[in-house]
Amino acid sequence: MSLRLTALDALHRSLGATMTDFAGWDMPLRYGSEREEHLAVRTRAGLFDLSHMGEITVSGPQAGELLDHALVGFISALGVLRARYTMICREDGGILDDLIVYRTAEDEYLVVANASNAQVVLDALTERAAGFDAVVRDDRDAYALLAVQGPEANGILAKLTDADLPGLKYYALLPATVAGREVWLARTGYTGEDGFEVFCAPADAAHLWTALTEAGTAEGLVPCGLSCRDTLRLEAGMPLYGHELSTELTPFDAGLGRVVRFDKTTNDGAFVGRKALEEAAAQAELNPPRKLVGLVSEGKRVPRAEYAVVDAEGAAIGRITSGSPSPTLGKPIAIAYLDAAHAEPGSTVAVDVRGKAEPVQVVALPFYKRAR
Amino acid sequence: MSNPTHLQYTKEHEWLTAAVDGVSTVGITAHAADALGDIVYVQLPEVGDTVTAGETCGELESTKSVSDLYSPATGEVTEVNQAVIDEPALVNSAPFEGGWLFKVRVEATDELLDADGYTAFTGA
């Protein structure tokens, strides 16, 4: 099967991007040095093409009730023009995907799924919509998605829109005109920085990319690929589906039990996975089997996903889910699931890096938090 | 970056200088460095080690991956580039110059390509 191309494909190629297959999409991995792109987002601004993300519109009088039933969050309680991080789980509590849900109107929501799970989420929502007065619409082809992230993002965008940016809170959105094009402008992102995500018509994507690039030149905005997006989110301690999250884990296993809202009142409190998640919550409270922690290495070799974490005797006590050199810290960092007995911040454990035990220190997540 | 014509190349993307007093310098090509991305760690053979043409003799670690380093020649290692151990990004910024990796007293080599042959091989 050939790779899907975003509306910005020709632009990426003209910029000399190194492209990569990501969940069936041909996406920019980096344009030059991924380290420089990473540092640009931390100190200035970066521009991302995220058009591979999967948009699903849920609308109708019972759209909120449907989402309360289908997802673990209390979605109908979300204010109009606000967004929420949530998850969709199976009956057994396993995580199908993590999502951001934007409430775009009283009776309409925009659900954004990971590219790799968009079809799974679409199918699950469609199936779970039975009996609700609501419509689930595949809008993957209706939107391109750009993200402007970094401390200069606000100033750059302000040059292109009259929208009330100071009034746009974190995890909120607005219908706005940016560079003359109608978009949904959301103050969300996946980098640990202030920033915006711009949902637009694919036909407008290249115009917006060019306008943002020109508006950001003076501030040092650079195009950024998926490689630095991954190191940025890793420093910010944000989970990535397929790494920290999977169908084998519940939100409680991932240390994200707070997204599960047992207090929701719609549908008499029933939702898909409730029973299994109540058991997982009780287990996590009494006897957490393992914890998601950060690891920092003083060495140069990088603990990578799937490497074993070992104790002083070499016995396996955990597993790395994501690892990378941290451009901000200047050291290798990793996220790992670690047996609770070894998970205390400050502990020293080791990672089996291709046969050699490299000492690492356990730290609390995130590795990086921006000054506000 | 074009491939310098005074070097010889392997299909594993190493380059090798013509021997001076029997000793050749080894590095990886710009093509390989670019494909790896930002290199963050370089593990090289030690001075006095014997390396074998076509076999692994170290590793190059980038943000996203770990790659084996293959020796383009058989022989004794006479020098390693401490500068790239201290600053692995040199391999990205100057792959054919300051980013060289080690020197070897060449006893034998695998089949090597000239610059045109390597350029054709990489499709660049």
Side-chain angles (χ1 to χ4, degrees):
Chain A
M1 200 171 70
S2 61
L3 294 175
R4 296 185 68 180
L5 307 180
T6 79
L8 296 168
D9 188 71
L11 257 171
H12 299 320
R13 288 170 202 282
S14 74
L15 291 167
T18 300
M19 305 296 285
T20 188
D21 173 2
F22 189 89
W25 291 81
D26 202 15
M27 298 298 293
L29 183 65
R30 54 189 162 85
Y31 299 84
S33 156
E34 57 237 327
R35 186 175 174 278
E36 294 301 319
E37 293 170 21
H38 180 112
L39 295 173
V41 173
R42 286 275 178 259
T43 59
R44 307 188 305 272
L47 178 59
F48 296 83
D49 178 11
L50 305 177
S51 298
H52 60 310
M53 300 297 285
E55 294 86 3
I56 300 162
T57 298
V58 179
S59 58
Q62 288 191 299
E65 284 88 339
L66 162 58
L67 291 171
D68 286 343
H69 162 69
L71 311 181
V72 300
F74 195 175
I75 306 302
S76 65
L78 192 60
V80 175
L81 301 182
R82 300 305 296 263
R84 184 68 44 87
Y85 176 75
T86 187
M87 294 185 187
I88 181 166
C89 290
R90 304 190 302 199
E91 280 291 356
D92 69 359
I95 303 164
L96 282 175
D97 200 11
D98 62 336
L99 308 165
I100 294 185
V101 178
Y102 300 86
R103 189 167 191 173
T104 49
E106 187 60 36
D107 60 355
E108 187 171 276
Y109 299 82
L110 179 63
V111 177
V112 180
N114 284 295
S116 53
N117 292 329
Q119 188 64 49
V120 167
V121 174
L122 180 67
D123 291 347
L125 287 178
T126 303
E127 187 187 319
R128 294 175 189 187
F132 289 93
D133 187 3
V135 174
V136 176
R137 187 174 72 221
D138 179 0
D139 267 347
R140 282 176 289 185
D141 292 338
Y143 291 105
L145 177 58
L146 278 57
V148 190
Q149 299 278 303
E152 301 289 348
N154 187 86
I156 292 166
L157 213 56
K159 297 179 190 177
L160 299 175
T161 182
D162 294 331
D164 177 20
L165 298 181
L168 184 59
K169 294 190 172 81
Y170 189 51
Y171 268 70
L173 78 163
L174 278 173
T177 303
V178 174
R181 307 299 156 102
E182 302 297 314
V183 304
W184 281 108
L185 186 60
R187 201 159 207 149
T188 48
Y190 191 53
T191 61
E193 297 301 328
D194 186 20
F196 300 88
E197 295 185 302
V198 184
F199 294 87
C200 65
D204 291 336
H207 171 79
L208 286 163
W209 178 280
T210 304
L212 287 162
T213 299
E214 288 169 2
T217 303
E219 284 79 5
L221 173 138
V222 297
C224 292
L226 295 183
S227 181
C228 81
R229 181 171 156 88
D230 190 46
T231 52
L232 288 159
R233 72 91 195 167
L234 175 57
E235 286 183 349
M238 295 172 173
L240 173 62
Y241 199 86
H243 289 253
E244 286 73 37
L245 309 177
S246 76
T247 52
E248 305 305 307
L249 299 169
T250 73
F252 294 94
D253 292 323
L256 292 165
R258 61 184 162 76
V259 305
V260 181
R261 292 288 298 272
F262 294 120
D263 63 333
K264 52 185 162 182
T265 50
T266 40
N267 312 310
D268 294 326
F271 61 91
V272 177
R274 174 160 193 143
K275 187 168 177 298
L277 289 168
E278 281 175 341
E279 288 165 14
Q283 171 74 14
E285 183 73 25
L286 283 173
N287 181 24
R290 54 187 171 180
K291 287 187 171 170
L292 198 61
V293 299
L295 302 175
V296 176
S297 174
E298 294 301 325
K300 287 186 173 177
R301 303 174 95 209
V302 182
R304 295 182 186 271
E306 299 305 323
Y307 288 6
V309 184
V310 295
D311 65 12
E313 281 74 48
I317 53 171
R319 153 182 95 79
I320 306 278
T321 51
S322 298
S324 174
S326 163
T328 305
L329 275 64
K331 299 170 180 179
I333 59 171
I335 298 179
Y337 278 111
L338 205 54
D339 290 350
H342 298 273
E344 192 60 33
S347 309
T348 297
V349 294
V351 177
D352 182 345
V353 179
R354 301 185 296 286
K356 186 168 178 292
E358 292 277 346
V360 292
Q361 191 169 47
V362 179
V363 300
L365 293 169
F367 300 97
Y368 167 84
K369 209 168 188 175
R370 75 182 162 100
R372 296 193 189 231
Chain B
M1 202 180 293
S2 62
N3 297 304
T5 53
H6 66 283
L7 302 176
Q8 290 188 292
Y9 300 87
T10 70
K11 290 185 175 179
E12 305 292 350
H13 309 290
E14 290 87 20
W15 55 259
L16 185 72
T17 60
V20 176
D21 296 334
V23 173
S24 290
T25 303
V26 173
I28 68 163
T29 66
H31 173 83
D34 190 52
L36 285 168
D38 293 335
I39 293 169
V40 297
Y41 174 71
V42 175
Q43 189 204 343
L44 299 176
E46 290 180 12
V47 172
D49 283 358
T50 298
V51 292
T52 305
E55 293 191 2
T56 62
C57 63
E59 62 185 32
L60 300 168
E61 188 150 10
S62 66
T63 302
K64 286 288 155 201
S65 64
V66 186
S67 297
D68 284 327
L69 172 65
Y70 295 89
S71 180
T74 299
E76 185 188 335
V77 175
T78 61
E79 192 177 344
V80 297
N81 187 0
Q82 187 62 38
V84 300
I85 294 172
D86 296 340
E87 194 190 337
L90 270 177
V91 179
N92 294 107
S93 60
F96 295 116
E97 291 155 7
W100 65 275
L101 299 177
F102 63 92
K103 297 187 181 189
V104 55
R105 188 172 301 283
V106 177
E107 295 168 15
T109 66
D110 271 351
E111 189 188 340
L112 298 171
L113 303 169
D114 64 13
D116 286 346
Y118 179 71
T119 302
F121 172 69
T122 56

